[in-house]
Amino acid sequence: MSNDTLEVLPYGRQWIDDDDVAAVAEAVRHPWLTQGPAVTAFEDKLCEVTGARYAVACNSGTSALHMAAAAFHADGQDVSITSAVTFLASANCIAYLGGEVAFTDVDPSTALMAVDSLQQVVDRVQAQGKQVRAIIPVDMCGQPVDLPAIRAIADACGAAVIADAAHSLGGRYQVDGQWHPVGGTNLADAVTLSFHPIKHVTTGEGGAVLTNRERVRDIAQAVRCHGMHRDSARLTRPADSPWVGPWYYEQDSLGYNYRIPDLLCALGLSQMGKLEQFVARRRAIAARYDALFAERLPGVVEPLHQYPDRENAYHLYVVRVAQRDGDSLDDVAARRKSLYGWLREHKIFAQVNYVPVPWQPYWMQRAGTKPEDFPGAMAYYAGCLSLPMYPLLTDADIVRVVETIAQWAS
Ligand SMILES: *Cc1c(COP(=O)(O)O)cnc(C)c1O
């Protein structure tokens, strides 16, 4: 088959069915296109699936991080800590508030926040006489982080935990033998989600803050909508004043417009009905890849390490180009670039997730970060490649990806 006739395989894509289209078509005829009942229904569904007490839906995962960070006052002189390997938004949300950001290194075999590195960063911040305000771990690729260990460190230094779960909706993890769904736990003070089309369920653009704490919900709601409210218990002027009436509202904090339209929540609600099926298919695809790579390409590409007490939701399926004896990281990076190019020639559009944040020019300048302080992140970045992973990927597609890599390797 010539390359021209090959179907393109992206690294991720959404799955929209007729019932999703019908849900949006119905919602667009409602009297409310935004701030209507679909928003609340979507939020209720998120709570039901994750076990969180409250959900505040908003217009992106980035807004959700900003809303959560605002709830813990991650601003001023205080330092918030996120992982070196994540999407830019996990760090930007702190910078929006004027807060300082520090980064932990990652375990290169999982790309997850390294707990020993977190402890070192906390010690360093405290040695500078500063307060750690928030810790923002990331469930990279869909595998939950070690939340109990991170919670313990956060408690010891008085920090909040904002879990960036943009990759892990539908995942689960064990604590003391009990399984917990991602998103509904007291181990994190807030959990954020994204509904970008590349994520598990989509609203086009969208996000949410999940929390069990009423105060966090209230602040997230205020930040979502200009800091305004009509809550009679909190209004500062008497209801019987001629200047006050049913129209009256007050602003008591600074907020933004981070609202998500009803139309999009109708899509999200429809998609959420399929989350379990989506995640089950992702896990089956990962198992197939794992088996084929172990059989066909040992020592060439290596899947990420999986912990038995964490159920990966597989937002991404990442392999690492193996580091052979005598290889420098430059050699690994060159081989990964070669594999990326080879796959692209064969219409397989892999991706690299992510360029380490402390290696970004902006953060090197703003936070004074140096790549040599993040050896795990740079080692991961040198060899990582996100292969096609989405529920519509067929078994034949999986074989095609593996065989194309096998041709490259030979
Ligand atoms: C996608 C993503 C975000 C941001 O979500 P948007 O909806 O694109 O704003 C934040 N963190 C991580 C880890 C992500 O993957």
Side-chain angles (χ1 to χ4, degrees):
M1 194 158 41
S2 96
N3 287 356
D4 291 344
T5 59
L6 279 174
E7 189 198 341
V8 168
L9 299 182
Y11 80 99
R13 61 184 274 212
Q14 71 276 20
W15 181 352
I16 302 292
D17 264 333
D18 290 348
D19 58 340
D20 299 311
V21 174
V24 177
E26 196 197 316
V28 77
R29 295 178 193 281
H30 283 172
W32 314 269
L33 294 186
T34 193
Q35 291 180 288
V39 179
T40 318
F42 183 46
E43 291 174 340
D44 290 348
K45 184 70 179 174
L46 291 171
C47 289
E48 179 198 316
V49 167
T50 60
R53 202 166 298 151
Y54 308 112
V56 183
C58 59
N59 63 352
S60 76
T62 304
S63 306
L65 281 162
H66 188 182
M67 285 154 54
F72 301 106
H73 308 288
D75 51 18
Q77 292 295 298
D78 294 341
V79 182
S80 295
I81 302 172
T82 191
S83 174
V85 176
T86 181
F87 185 57
L88 303 168
S90 316
N92 287 349
C93 65
I94 302 300
Y96 297 154
L97 294 160
E100 266 189 51
V101 181
F103 297 90
T104 74
D105 202 3
V106 303
D107 175 343
S109 72
T110 59
L112 295 174
M113 177 179 269
V115 172
D116 55 345
S117 173
L118 173 62
Q119 186 62 61
Q120 285 162 15
V121 175
V122 167
D123 291 347
R124 198 178 69 222
V125 169
Q126 291 185 324
Q128 292 165 348
K130 292 182 177 172
Q131 167 71 34
V132 180
R133 181 57 59 182
I135 298 172
I136 309 175
V138 183
D139 294 339
M140 263 296 290
C141 307
Q143 177 161 229
V145 287
D146 186 352
L147 214 43
I150 292 168
R151 177 81 256 174
I153 293 174
D155 285 345
C157 69
V161 175
I162 302 171
D164 183 341
H167 292 192
S168 57
L169 179 61
R172 300 197 305 160
Y173 58 93
Q174 249 180 352
V175 183
D176 299 330
Q178 290 280 334
W179 285 102
H180 298 265
V182 163
T185 171
N186 287 316
L187 289 176
D189 299 283
V191 177
T192 64
L193 301 175
S194 163
F195 307 114
H196 182 278
I198 212 79
K199 308 288 163 63
H200 297 82
V201 300
T202 189
T203 58
E205 295 276 4
V209 177
L210 307 174
T211 183
N212 290 350
R213 303 170 70 179
E214 202 174 337
R215 194 190 63 82
V216 173
R217 178 205 58 185
D218 290 347
I219 296 177
Q221 285 178 341
V223 174
R224 174 172 68 178
C225 194
H226 310 282
M228 65 189 274
H229 72 91
R230 291 188 161 86
D231 177 0
S232 55
R234 283 159 58 215
L235 294 177
T236 61
R237 304 201 178 95
D240 58 2
S241 157
W243 300 89
V244 173
W247 64 85
Y248 183 75
Y249 56 87
E250 285 183 358
Q251 177 184 358
D252 60 4
S253 61
L254 183 62
Y256 302 80
N257 178 356
Y258 283 169
R259 295 188 304 260
I260 180 168
D262 265 47
L263 295 186
L264 301 187
C265 288
L267 175 58
L269 190 58
S270 176
Q271 288 260 297
M272 279 301 286
K274 293 176 264 194
L275 174 66
E276 212 172 302
Q277 172 202 339
F278 285 173
V279 171
R281 178 63 193 149
R282 285 175 180 272
R283 290 175 57 78
I285 291 168
R288 190 86 190 103
Y289 269 134
D290 285 349
L292 286 171
F293 284 130
E295 184 190 313
R296 302 275 283 114
L297 292 162
V300 177
V301 293
E302 290 159 348
L304 297 184
H305 175 73
Q306 303 297 321
Y307 292 101
D309 59 350
R310 322 220 190 136
E311 225 175 72
N312 196 329
Y314 284 106
H315 162 53
L316 300 171
Y317 185 85
V318 170
V319 290
R320 302 173 68 207
V321 170
Q323 184 162 20
R324 300 184 196 132
D325 283 348
D327 262 358
S328 69
L329 281 189
D330 284 339
D331 297 329
V332 175
R335 261 206 322 283
R336 190 267 308 277
K337 190 170 180 177
S338 151
L339 174 55
Y340 174 93
W342 174 265
L343 290 172
R344 217 171 158 87
E345 270 175 46
H346 293 81
K347 300 280 180 74
I348 296 168
F349 291 2
Q351 183 59 282
V352 173
N353 301 91
Y354 297 97
V355 180
V357 184
W359 195 48
Q360 291 290 350
Y362 177 82
W363 287 103
M364 290 180 73
Q365 221 226 337
R366 182 182 172 117
T369 46
K370 299 191 288 294
E372 54 270 32
D373 292 336
F374 303 92
M378 296 311 285
Y380 170 79
Y381 172 64
C384 70
L385 200 59
S386 305
L387 300 178
M389 166 56 90
Y390 45 88
L392 283 170
L393 196 73
T394 66
D395 290 353
D397 294 333
I398 298 168
V399 170
R400 181 179 142 203
V401 172
V402 174
E403 289 308 318
T404 307
I405 297 175
Q407 285 162 19
W408 167 80
S410 64

